[in-house]
Amino acid sequence: KTDLIDIMKAVIKGTLNKLKIKWSDKKVMTVVAVSKGYPDKYAKGYQIQGIRAITDPDSVVFHAGTKIHNNMLLSSGGRVLNITAIADNFKKAREKAYSIIQKIHFKDMAYRKDIGKKLR
């Protein structure tokens, strides 16, 4: 619940030990969309579609291996996107993350289907 900017400022100033951090009871799950073949050989430059369809306020798509070229969002690395969902428990966060990742597409996209499977 503590603002990340406040935490970063405290780290820079060396006063993190004095900052009272407020924690949330929410759970978070992240699934990584990668280019097929990662971490070995993989292709780049594929157009990424579907991100604009993500409207859930308790989810975030972090870009890792992406770039914009000619007004198109393209893959530019092995780890392309990190789909992160927040919910009341791990099961709901997992369901939400996998629901979101199914809306995103690029050629040869791959992701693990077992992330958080054993968490409750």
Side-chain angles (χ1 to χ4, degrees):
K1 293 182 179 180
T2 304
D3 191 314
L4 181 59
I5 298 297
D6 293 338
I7 294 171
M8 291 176 165
K9 285 179 181 178
V11 169
I12 291 167
K13 292 178 182 177
T15 59
L16 185 60
N17 62 334
K18 297 177 183 175
L19 182 66
K20 184 169 180 157
I21 297 176
K22 299 173 192 168
W23 297 96
S24 171
D25 291 333
K26 299 282 186 174
K27 306 301 180 207
V28 179
M29 185 74 56
T30 298
V31 180
V32 181
V34 302
S35 292
K36 184 179 176 182
Y38 173 83
D40 298 317
K41 290 185 178 184
Y42 54 87
K44 303 177 198 176
Y46 295 131
Q47 186 175 4
I48 302 168
Q49 298 176 323
I51 290 181
R52 290 198 172 142
I54 313 306
T55 58
D56 185 325
D58 287 330
S59 64
V60 181
V61 178
F62 293 101
H63 294 245
T66 65
K67 69 177 182 178
I68 295 176
H69 181 72
N70 292 334
N71 291 322
M72 292 187 301
L73 181 62
L74 305 175
S75 64
S76 67
R79 288 174 164 242
V80 180
L81 299 166
N82 299 282
I83 292 74
T84 302
I86 303 166
D88 291 329
N89 59 55
F90 284 121
K91 182 180 179 188
K92 288 180 183 176
R94 181 179 192 276
E95 289 170 357
K96 189 184 291 191
Y98 279 104
S99 173
I100 292 167
I101 203 168
Q102 290 175 9
K103 296 176 183 176
I104 299 170
H105 304 282
F106 59 90
K107 184 177 178 185
D108 292 336
M109 180 176 109
Y111 56 91
R112 288 181 50 175
K113 296 179 178 51
D114 63 338
I115 302 300
K117 194 173 188 177
K118 295 180 182 180
L119 294 174
R120 300 276 174 213

